[in-house]
Amino acid sequence: MFDRVLIPTDGSEAVRPAEETAIELARIHDATLHILYIVDQPTSLSGTGEGVPGLDNLLDALEQEGQEATGDVATQAEDRGIETTTAVQRGNPHDDILTYAEENDIDVIVMGTHGRTGVKRALLGSVTEDVVRHSEVPY
């Protein structure tokens, strides 16, 4: 039924249950597991001039964190005989998850949530909620 399963991850403990679910879903369906980490790159930093000191170093460190996070999930999946594909990208998590899913013909997206409610959710938003609202791929 599913040939390609996508698990976007941020490497946090909160996403571990979703990672496990995605691994199991890929195993059951003999599907390829796509593991995606998006470094949330600001699109504009008004009033900061040409460059932001240290921003490139921070983004590079976050990319390294993404490599480790996707690698950890890939190792768990590969230990169970599941084919994996990993990707670390800079951009907007909501948009780039949807773009990745479309470009890679993903059959199902498995996502976790940090469980924010109230003011924190209103201020910070929810990548999962945005993906659910805009995706044509089952979740």
Side-chain angles (χ1 to χ4, degrees):
M1 179 172 193
F2 301 129
D3 293 321
R4 289 162 300 281
V5 175
L6 173 61
I7 177 70
T9 185
D10 63 5
S12 70
E13 286 301 315
V15 78
R16 298 284 183 247
E19 291 171 350
E20 185 58 39
T21 298
I23 290 168
E24 186 62 14
L25 191 61
R27 186 191 66 74
I28 289 169
H29 291 277
D30 195 26
T32 300
L33 181 63
H34 290 251
I35 308 153
L36 177 64
Y37 185 103
I38 306 293
V39 175
D40 193 356
Q41 181 170 336
T43 53
S44 68
L45 297 169
S46 61
T48 59
E50 285 296 315
V52 178
L55 180 60
D56 285 336
N57 291 338
L58 173 62
L59 293 174
D60 289 344
L62 291 171
E63 279 186 1
Q64 181 59 41
E65 187 178 292
Q67 294 293 343
E68 292 170 12
T70 58
D72 289 347
V73 178
T75 297
Q76 292 175 48
E78 290 165 356
D79 286 349
R80 298 181 201 178
I82 298 165
E83 181 181 339
T84 65
T85 298
T86 62
V88 176
Q89 305 174 174
R90 291 184 186 184
N92 176 295
H94 156 253
D95 292 334
D96 288 355
I97 291 167
L98 294 172
T99 299
Y100 185 94
E102 184 177 322
E103 289 176 351
N104 291 277
D105 200 23
I106 297 297
D107 298 307
V108 65
I109 303 172
V110 179
M111 293 184 71
T113 181
H114 287 288
R116 293 185 187 107
T117 59
V119 174
K120 283 185 180 180
R121 183 173 182 180
L123 293 175
L124 299 174
S126 168
V127 172
T128 302
E129 183 178 340
D130 285 343
V131 169
V132 167
R133 287 184 185 199
H134 297 98
S135 179
E136 294 181 15
V137 176
Y139 45 89

